[in-house]
Short mmCIF file of all heavy atoms in Angstrom, two decimals:
data_model
loop_
_atom_site.label_atom_id
_atom_site.label_comp_id
_atom_site.label_asym_id
_atom_site.label_seq_id
_atom_site.Cartn_x
_atom_site.Cartn_y
_atom_site.Cartn_z
N VAL A 1340 8.87 28.69 17.70
CA VAL A 1340 9.46 27.38 17.89
C VAL A 1340 9.71 27.33 19.54
O VAL A 1340 10.30 28.29 19.99
CB VAL A 1340 10.75 27.23 17.14
CG1 VAL A 1340 11.60 26.13 17.57
CG2 VAL A 1340 10.44 27.18 15.71
N PHE A 1341 9.39 26.20 20.10
CA PHE A 1341 9.70 26.05 21.48
C PHE A 1341 11.00 25.43 21.74
O PHE A 1341 11.55 24.50 20.98
CB PHE A 1341 8.60 25.29 22.13
CG PHE A 1341 7.25 26.00 22.09
CD1 PHE A 1341 6.26 25.85 21.10
CD2 PHE A 1341 6.96 26.88 23.07
CE1 PHE A 1341 5.14 26.50 20.99
CE2 PHE A 1341 5.79 27.71 23.00
CZ PHE A 1341 4.88 27.43 22.00
N GLY A 1342 11.75 25.88 22.82
CA GLY A 1342 13.06 25.46 23.05
C GLY A 1342 14.03 25.86 21.91
O GLY A 1342 13.78 26.92 21.38
N LYS A 1343 14.93 25.08 21.64
CA LYS A 1343 15.89 25.38 20.58
C LYS A 1343 15.34 24.78 19.28
O LYS A 1343 15.97 24.96 18.22
CB LYS A 1343 17.24 24.85 20.89
CG LYS A 1343 17.94 25.44 22.13
CD LYS A 1343 19.22 24.85 22.31
CE LYS A 1343 19.91 25.60 23.67
NZ LYS A 1343 21.09 24.90 24.05
N GLY A 1344 14.23 24.05 19.33
CA GLY A 1344 13.66 23.48 18.08
C GLY A 1344 14.40 22.10 17.79
O GLY A 1344 14.24 21.63 16.72
N SER A 1345 15.16 21.59 18.72
CA SER A 1345 15.84 20.32 18.45
C SER A 1345 15.04 19.12 18.71
O SER A 1345 15.37 17.95 18.31
CB SER A 1345 17.15 20.23 19.35
OG SER A 1345 16.74 20.25 20.74
N GLN A 1346 13.77 19.20 19.24
CA GLN A 1346 12.93 18.06 19.41
C GLN A 1346 12.45 17.59 18.10
O GLN A 1346 12.29 18.38 17.18
CB GLN A 1346 11.76 18.44 20.34
CG GLN A 1346 10.85 19.51 19.95
CD GLN A 1346 11.29 20.92 20.26
OE1 GLN A 1346 12.44 21.24 20.25
NE2 GLN A 1346 10.31 21.82 20.56
N THR A 1347 12.24 16.31 17.90
CA THR A 1347 11.91 15.85 16.61
C THR A 1347 10.47 15.44 16.59
O THR A 1347 9.79 15.02 17.50
CB THR A 1347 12.87 14.56 16.28
OG1 THR A 1347 12.59 13.51 17.17
CG2 THR A 1347 14.37 15.02 16.26
N ARG A 1348 9.95 15.45 15.32
CA ARG A 1348 8.65 14.99 15.01
C ARG A 1348 8.73 14.24 13.66
O ARG A 1348 9.61 14.48 12.88
CB ARG A 1348 7.63 16.14 14.88
CG ARG A 1348 7.46 16.96 16.21
CD ARG A 1348 6.88 16.11 17.29
NE ARG A 1348 6.67 16.77 18.51
CZ ARG A 1348 7.51 17.00 19.52
NH1 ARG A 1348 8.78 16.44 19.43
NH2 ARG A 1348 7.24 17.67 20.58
N SER A 1349 7.68 13.55 13.40
CA SER A 1349 7.53 12.74 12.17
C SER A 1349 6.14 13.15 11.62
O SER A 1349 5.16 12.94 12.24
CB SER A 1349 7.58 11.29 12.35
OG SER A 1349 8.98 10.92 12.87
N PHE A 1350 6.04 13.66 10.41
CA PHE A 1350 4.77 14.19 9.80
C PHE A 1350 4.25 13.27 8.80
O PHE A 1350 5.04 12.80 7.92
CB PHE A 1350 4.95 15.60 9.33
CG PHE A 1350 5.51 16.61 10.36
CD1 PHE A 1350 6.72 16.83 10.51
CD2 PHE A 1350 4.51 17.19 11.15
CE1 PHE A 1350 7.14 17.75 11.52
CE2 PHE A 1350 4.83 18.05 12.12
CZ PHE A 1350 6.18 18.38 12.40
N CYS A 1351 3.03 12.93 8.81
CA CYS A 1351 2.44 12.03 7.92
C CYS A 1351 1.19 12.68 7.28
O CYS A 1351 0.36 13.23 7.89
CB CYS A 1351 1.89 10.77 8.62
SG CYS A 1351 1.28 9.45 7.54
N TYR A 1352 1.19 12.80 5.95
CA TYR A 1352 0.18 13.36 5.23
C TYR A 1352 -1.18 12.66 5.39
O TYR A 1352 -1.20 11.41 5.48
CB TYR A 1352 0.44 13.49 3.72
CG TYR A 1352 -0.42 14.51 3.00
CD1 TYR A 1352 -0.29 15.91 3.34
CD2 TYR A 1352 -1.38 14.16 2.08
CE1 TYR A 1352 -1.14 16.86 2.71
CE2 TYR A 1352 -2.14 15.11 1.48
CZ TYR A 1352 -2.08 16.48 1.74
OH TYR A 1352 -2.78 17.43 1.16
N VAL A 1353 -2.24 13.31 5.39
CA VAL A 1353 -3.50 12.84 5.84
C VAL A 1353 -4.03 11.62 4.91
O VAL A 1353 -4.54 10.61 5.36
CB VAL A 1353 -4.61 13.93 5.97
CG1 VAL A 1353 -4.83 14.53 4.61
CG2 VAL A 1353 -5.90 13.32 6.58
N SER A 1354 -3.79 11.72 3.63
CA SER A 1354 -4.14 10.66 2.71
C SER A 1354 -3.40 9.39 3.00
O SER A 1354 -4.02 8.29 2.96
CB SER A 1354 -3.93 11.07 1.21
OG SER A 1354 -2.57 11.26 0.98
N ASP A 1355 -2.18 9.43 3.43
CA ASP A 1355 -1.47 8.34 3.77
C ASP A 1355 -1.97 7.66 5.08
O ASP A 1355 -2.19 6.43 5.13
CB ASP A 1355 0.11 8.61 4.04
CG ASP A 1355 0.80 8.76 2.76
OD1 ASP A 1355 0.38 8.25 1.64
OD2 ASP A 1355 1.87 9.46 2.79
N LEU A 1356 -2.27 8.51 6.04
CA LEU A 1356 -2.81 8.03 7.30
C LEU A 1356 -4.24 7.32 7.08
O LEU A 1356 -4.49 6.27 7.61
CB LEU A 1356 -2.93 9.18 8.29
CG LEU A 1356 -3.31 8.78 9.67
CD1 LEU A 1356 -2.43 7.70 10.27
CD2 LEU A 1356 -3.44 10.00 10.62
N VAL A 1357 -5.09 8.01 6.25
CA VAL A 1357 -6.36 7.40 5.97
C VAL A 1357 -6.16 5.98 5.23
O VAL A 1357 -6.97 5.04 5.56
CB VAL A 1357 -7.26 8.38 5.08
CG1 VAL A 1357 -8.52 7.66 4.56
CG2 VAL A 1357 -7.60 9.61 5.91
N ASP A 1358 -5.27 5.97 4.30
CA ASP A 1358 -5.06 4.64 3.75
C ASP A 1358 -4.62 3.65 4.72
O ASP A 1358 -5.08 2.48 4.63
CB ASP A 1358 -3.96 4.79 2.58
CG ASP A 1358 -3.64 3.61 1.88
OD1 ASP A 1358 -4.64 2.75 1.47
OD2 ASP A 1358 -2.52 3.18 1.69
N GLY A 1359 -3.71 3.99 5.61
CA GLY A 1359 -3.30 2.99 6.70
C GLY A 1359 -4.44 2.64 7.51
O GLY A 1359 -4.52 1.37 7.91
N LEU A 1360 -5.22 3.52 7.99
CA LEU A 1360 -6.37 3.22 8.75
C LEU A 1360 -7.41 2.31 8.09
O LEU A 1360 -7.97 1.36 8.65
CB LEU A 1360 -7.13 4.50 9.24
CG LEU A 1360 -6.38 5.33 10.31
CD1 LEU A 1360 -7.07 6.65 10.44
CD2 LEU A 1360 -6.28 4.61 11.62
N TYR A 1361 -7.64 2.51 6.80
CA TYR A 1361 -8.54 1.73 6.00
C TYR A 1361 -8.04 0.30 5.90
O TYR A 1361 -8.71 -0.63 6.09
CB TYR A 1361 -8.67 2.33 4.61
CG TYR A 1361 -9.60 1.48 3.80
CD1 TYR A 1361 -10.96 1.56 3.85
CD2 TYR A 1361 -9.10 0.73 2.74
CE1 TYR A 1361 -11.77 0.74 3.07
CE2 TYR A 1361 -9.89 -0.12 1.99
CZ TYR A 1361 -11.23 -0.09 2.15
OH TYR A 1361 -12.06 -0.90 1.37
N ARG A 1362 -6.70 0.16 5.61
CA ARG A 1362 -6.15 -1.19 5.52
C ARG A 1362 -6.21 -1.85 6.90
O ARG A 1362 -6.42 -3.10 6.89
CB ARG A 1362 -4.59 -1.10 5.04
CG ARG A 1362 -4.53 -0.56 3.68
CD ARG A 1362 -2.96 -0.61 3.34
NE ARG A 1362 -2.73 0.06 2.01
CZ ARG A 1362 -1.89 -0.30 1.22
NH1 ARG A 1362 -1.04 -1.33 1.51
NH2 ARG A 1362 -1.70 0.36 0.09
N LEU A 1363 -6.04 -1.15 7.98
CA LEU A 1363 -6.06 -1.69 9.27
C LEU A 1363 -7.56 -2.25 9.58
O LEU A 1363 -7.78 -3.31 10.07
CB LEU A 1363 -5.61 -0.75 10.42
CG LEU A 1363 -5.68 -1.24 11.80
CD1 LEU A 1363 -4.79 -2.46 11.97
CD2 LEU A 1363 -5.16 -0.13 12.81
N MET A 1364 -8.50 -1.36 9.19
CA MET A 1364 -9.92 -1.80 9.44
C MET A 1364 -10.29 -2.96 8.64
O MET A 1364 -11.07 -3.79 8.98
CB MET A 1364 -10.88 -0.66 9.09
CG MET A 1364 -10.78 0.47 10.13
SD MET A 1364 -12.06 1.80 9.87
CE MET A 1364 -11.62 2.28 8.20
N GLN A 1365 -9.66 -3.17 7.49
CA GLN A 1365 -10.05 -4.30 6.56
C GLN A 1365 -9.23 -5.59 6.93
O GLN A 1365 -9.49 -6.61 6.58
CB GLN A 1365 -9.59 -3.99 5.19
CG GLN A 1365 -10.38 -2.86 4.56
CD GLN A 1365 -11.88 -3.13 4.52
OE1 GLN A 1365 -12.30 -4.18 4.05
NE2 GLN A 1365 -12.64 -2.24 5.05
N SER A 1366 -8.21 -5.46 7.90
CA SER A 1366 -7.53 -6.61 8.39
C SER A 1366 -8.17 -7.29 9.55
O SER A 1366 -9.09 -6.74 10.15
CB SER A 1366 -6.11 -6.18 8.74
OG SER A 1366 -6.06 -5.55 10.04
N ASP A 1367 -7.56 -8.38 9.99
CA ASP A 1367 -8.05 -9.09 11.21
C ASP A 1367 -7.25 -8.70 12.44
O ASP A 1367 -7.51 -9.26 13.45
CB ASP A 1367 -8.02 -10.58 10.93
CG ASP A 1367 -8.92 -11.08 9.89
OD1 ASP A 1367 -10.05 -10.50 9.82
OD2 ASP A 1367 -8.60 -12.06 9.18
N GLU A 1368 -6.34 -7.71 12.29
CA GLU A 1368 -5.57 -7.42 13.42
C GLU A 1368 -6.41 -6.74 14.55
O GLU A 1368 -7.19 -5.89 14.20
CB GLU A 1368 -4.48 -6.37 13.01
CG GLU A 1368 -3.53 -5.97 14.01
CD GLU A 1368 -2.68 -7.19 14.60
OE1 GLU A 1368 -2.39 -8.10 13.89
OE2 GLU A 1368 -2.44 -7.17 15.81
N ARG A 1369 -6.21 -7.07 15.66
CA ARG A 1369 -6.83 -6.57 16.86
C ARG A 1369 -6.00 -5.91 17.85
O ARG A 1369 -6.40 -5.41 18.88
CB ARG A 1369 -7.78 -7.62 17.58
CG ARG A 1369 -6.99 -8.79 18.08
CD ARG A 1369 -7.94 -9.91 18.59
NE ARG A 1369 -7.22 -11.01 19.22
CZ ARG A 1369 -7.17 -11.18 20.47
NH1 ARG A 1369 -7.92 -10.45 21.30
NH2 ARG A 1369 -6.49 -12.18 20.91
N TYR A 1370 -4.68 -5.86 17.60
CA TYR A 1370 -3.80 -5.17 18.45
C TYR A 1370 -3.27 -3.91 17.81
O TYR A 1370 -3.34 -3.70 16.60
CB TYR A 1370 -2.61 -6.05 18.78
CG TYR A 1370 -3.00 -7.32 19.61
CD1 TYR A 1370 -3.12 -8.56 19.01
CD2 TYR A 1370 -3.39 -7.13 20.93
CE1 TYR A 1370 -3.54 -9.56 19.75
CE2 TYR A 1370 -3.75 -8.21 21.68
CZ TYR A 1370 -3.89 -9.49 21.12
OH TYR A 1370 -4.33 -10.54 21.83
N PRO A 1371 -2.70 -3.00 18.57
CA PRO A 1371 -2.24 -1.73 18.04
C PRO A 1371 -1.22 -1.85 16.88
O PRO A 1371 -0.29 -2.75 16.91
CB PRO A 1371 -1.56 -1.03 19.18
CG PRO A 1371 -2.24 -1.73 20.43
CD PRO A 1371 -2.48 -3.06 20.01
N VAL A 1372 -1.37 -0.97 15.96
CA VAL A 1372 -0.40 -0.87 14.84
C VAL A 1372 -0.05 0.53 14.65
O VAL A 1372 -0.96 1.44 14.50
CB VAL A 1372 -1.08 -1.45 13.51
CG1 VAL A 1372 -0.15 -1.17 12.31
CG2 VAL A 1372 -1.46 -2.90 13.64
N ASN A 1373 1.25 0.94 14.71
CA ASN A 1373 1.71 2.20 14.42
C ASN A 1373 1.57 2.66 13.02
O ASN A 1373 1.99 1.95 12.12
CB ASN A 1373 3.17 2.39 14.86
CG ASN A 1373 3.36 2.44 16.35
OD1 ASN A 1373 2.52 2.78 17.12
ND2 ASN A 1373 4.58 2.11 16.71
N LEU A 1374 0.87 3.81 12.78
CA LEU A 1374 0.86 4.36 11.48
C LEU A 1374 1.45 5.77 11.60
O LEU A 1374 1.25 6.44 12.64
CB LEU A 1374 -0.65 4.52 11.11
CG LEU A 1374 -1.38 3.23 10.92
CD1 LEU A 1374 -2.88 3.55 10.55
CD2 LEU A 1374 -0.82 2.38 9.78
N GLY A 1375 2.11 6.20 10.61
CA GLY A 1375 2.87 7.45 10.66
C GLY A 1375 4.01 7.42 9.67
O GLY A 1375 4.23 6.46 8.94
N ASN A 1376 4.78 8.43 9.72
CA ASN A 1376 6.00 8.54 8.85
C ASN A 1376 7.18 8.36 9.62
O ASN A 1376 7.44 9.22 10.59
CB ASN A 1376 5.93 9.83 8.08
CG ASN A 1376 6.93 9.83 6.92
OD1 ASN A 1376 7.97 9.26 7.02
ND2 ASN A 1376 6.62 10.52 5.84
N PRO A 1377 8.01 7.42 9.44
CA PRO A 1377 9.23 7.26 10.21
C PRO A 1377 10.37 8.31 9.90
O PRO A 1377 11.36 8.43 10.64
CB PRO A 1377 9.76 5.89 9.88
CG PRO A 1377 9.24 5.65 8.43
CD PRO A 1377 7.91 6.37 8.49
N ARG A 1378 10.09 9.19 8.87
CA ARG A 1378 11.10 10.26 8.60
C ARG A 1378 11.04 11.34 9.70
O ARG A 1378 10.04 12.03 9.83
CB ARG A 1378 10.87 10.86 7.19
CG ARG A 1378 11.87 11.93 6.97
CD ARG A 1378 11.72 12.51 5.48
NE ARG A 1378 12.64 13.58 5.25
CZ ARG A 1378 12.29 14.83 5.38
NH1 ARG A 1378 11.13 15.30 5.61
NH2 ARG A 1378 13.29 15.75 5.23
N GLU A 1379 12.09 11.38 10.42
CA GLU A 1379 12.09 12.35 11.61
C GLU A 1379 12.84 13.58 11.14
O GLU A 1379 13.82 13.52 10.45
CB GLU A 1379 12.87 11.56 12.68
CG GLU A 1379 12.86 12.19 14.10
CD GLU A 1379 13.56 11.21 15.02
OE1 GLU A 1379 14.46 10.42 14.68
OE2 GLU A 1379 13.21 11.31 16.19
N MET A 1380 12.42 14.65 11.76
CA MET A 1380 13.10 16.02 11.50
C MET A 1380 12.86 16.83 12.74
O MET A 1380 11.96 16.60 13.54
CB MET A 1380 12.58 16.66 10.31
CG MET A 1380 11.15 17.10 10.41
SD MET A 1380 10.44 17.86 8.87
CE MET A 1380 11.76 18.86 8.19
N THR A 1381 13.72 17.78 12.92
CA THR A 1381 13.57 18.72 14.10
C THR A 1381 12.52 19.71 13.76
O THR A 1381 12.16 19.96 12.64
CB THR A 1381 14.92 19.48 14.41
OG1 THR A 1381 15.22 20.40 13.39
CG2 THR A 1381 16.13 18.50 14.61
N ILE A 1382 11.98 20.25 14.81
CA ILE A 1382 10.96 21.29 14.74
C ILE A 1382 11.57 22.50 14.09
O ILE A 1382 10.82 23.17 13.18
CB ILE A 1382 10.32 21.62 16.13
CG1 ILE A 1382 9.54 20.47 16.70
CG2 ILE A 1382 9.50 22.92 16.09
CD1 ILE A 1382 8.31 20.15 15.87
N LEU A 1383 12.76 22.81 14.33
CA LEU A 1383 13.38 23.96 13.63
C LEU A 1383 13.54 23.75 12.14
O LEU A 1383 13.25 24.60 11.32
CB LEU A 1383 14.76 24.24 14.19
CG LEU A 1383 15.46 25.48 13.68
CD1 LEU A 1383 14.63 26.74 13.85
CD2 LEU A 1383 16.81 25.68 14.40
#
């Protein structure tokens, strides 16, 4: 663990990310859309 481990990350399982990318490709959106998991936790 680097530092004290207090830095945060949000982890998204691959099947969720693929589903989000698929939905984005099927849409007419041409601007960036954040995909990921908003549940944040520390590295520790």
